[in-house]
Amino acid sequence: MNAANTLAFLVFPYIALTVFVFGHASRYLTDRYEWNARSSEFLEKKKLFLGITLFHWGMMLVFFGHAGGLLIPQRFLDLMGINGATHTFLAHYNGMATGIAAFIGLGLLMYRRLTILRIRLTTSVNDLITLGGLIFVSGAGLYNVLFGDYYILDTIAPWIRGIVTFTPAPALMQNVPLSYKVHILSALALLAFSPFSRLVHIWSAPLGYFFRSWIEFRRKIPE
Ligand code: HEM
């Protein structure tokens, strides 16, 4: 087996995942005050709305698409009547719609950061790496959806399942086209960077809001 392939698809993924896990733990313990999305809504609201909404909905659907499509083995989907061709068709068109939404949203967010003075002045290098990284990773993914025509269910999908179940099989990645490898390696690099950026807010989604009791506001009617 090729050494570069082993480095890229066995060693690097575990380094990235280790930094991801321990990076989050250490940031949570040492820097909890800065553990947030660093909202800029109070500086500019109108342009933020479209970009942030398109990006977040697109990205979250892309995330669930990746998790379901790659982590569930095809033999289970076969039992449910979804064969490889149907799976590929659904992944292709859902990935295209949600990926385009996320990519346009990111473009609008980057445009806003660079062109509105008060946003630009409060933008850090870390913010630019975060948005730039997301643009690169989602752009590479979208490129594969639009122009790649590679059957991933016998190669990339079992490879990623091997990584998360600690039964790695890097040889599966040997003949995967370069554009897919670029998407995967850049996504892993972004995963390793995320604990040190504002992306930590993903893990503090305010899910409690869905379950808490209503807060009632009543107008005081003068007697
Ligand atoms: C889990 C649910 C999520 C919630 C509740 C959430 C919430 C938020 C909020 C409140 C902001 C600040 C918007 C503002 O400026 O006022 C934000 C910004 C941001 N979020 Fe999320 N987010 C979530 C998931 C994600 C995911 C999955 C990603 C990326 C993979 C992401 C990436 C970003 C980025 C890059 C920004 C900064 C955008 C900018 O200001 O240019 N978020 N998010």
Side-chain angles (χ1 to χ4, degrees):
M1 200 195 317
N2 175 323
N5 188 69
T6 310
L7 212 59
F9 296 105
L10 174 71
V11 180
F12 180 59
Y14 283 117
I15 292 179
L17 292 174
T18 307
V19 174
F20 179 81
V21 172
F22 288 99
H24 275 100
S26 129
R27 174 105 190 262
Y28 189 75
L29 294 173
T30 59
D31 188 24
R32 210 169 305 174
Y33 185 69
E34 289 287 322
W35 183 286
N36 58 55
R38 299 191 57 227
S39 171
S40 56
E41 190 182 0
F42 67 100
L43 293 174
E44 192 285 326
K45 204 174 175 134
K46 266 194 184 151
K47 292 212 167 67
L48 174 70
F49 180 75
L50 183 61
I52 207 96
T53 308
L54 270 176
F55 164 62
H56 275 89
W57 279 106
M59 183 53 78
M60 277 187 271
L61 293 173
V62 163
F63 173 80
F64 288 118
H66 276 62
L70 293 170
L71 297 182
I72 302 173
Q74 184 53 42
R75 59 180 186 282
F76 290 119
L77 297 177
D78 284 334
L79 293 175
M80 292 159 64
I82 303 172
N83 64 20
T86 313
H87 182 173
T88 303
F89 177 86
L90 290 173
H92 183 76
Y93 287 103
N94 283 320
M96 194 185 294
T98 53
I100 288 175
F103 192 69
I104 293 176
L106 281 166
L108 293 173
L109 289 173
M110 185 59 115
Y111 180 75
R112 168 180 177 268
R113 287 218 158 257
L114 298 178
T115 56
I116 298 175
L117 186 62
R118 51 170 64 185
I119 302 291
R120 196 168 70 221
L121 291 176
T122 51
T123 294
S124 64
V125 174
N126 193 304
D127 292 335
L128 292 177
I129 297 176
T130 306
L131 272 186
L134 284 164
I135 289 174
F136 187 85
V137 173
S138 53
L142 206 52
Y143 175 88
N144 289 323
V145 171
L146 297 175
F147 307 110
D149 186 19
Y150 183 68
Y151 190 74
I152 66 162
L153 298 180
D154 296 334
T155 49
I156 300 176
W159 166 76
I160 188 71
R161 288 199 293 276
I163 292 291
V164 297
T165 55
F166 298 104
T167 52
L172 287 168
M173 293 298 291
Q174 187 87 49
N175 298 318
V176 166
L178 182 66
S179 61
Y180 289 77
K181 290 182 175 173
V182 168
H183 174 57
I184 293 166
L185 294 176
S186 56
L188 285 167
L190 189 61
L191 221 57
F193 174 72
S194 68
F196 314 104
S197 72
R198 60 163 79 200
L199 291 177
V200 291
H201 74 276
I202 298 170
W203 307 105
S204 298
L207 298 179
Y209 277 97
F210 292 113
F211 307 105
R212 69 161 200 206
S213 41
W214 297 104
I215 297 174
E216 272 188 44
F217 291 95
R218 295 189 188 178
R219 201 164 3 134
K220 189 172 176 193
I221 300 166
E223 292 173 18

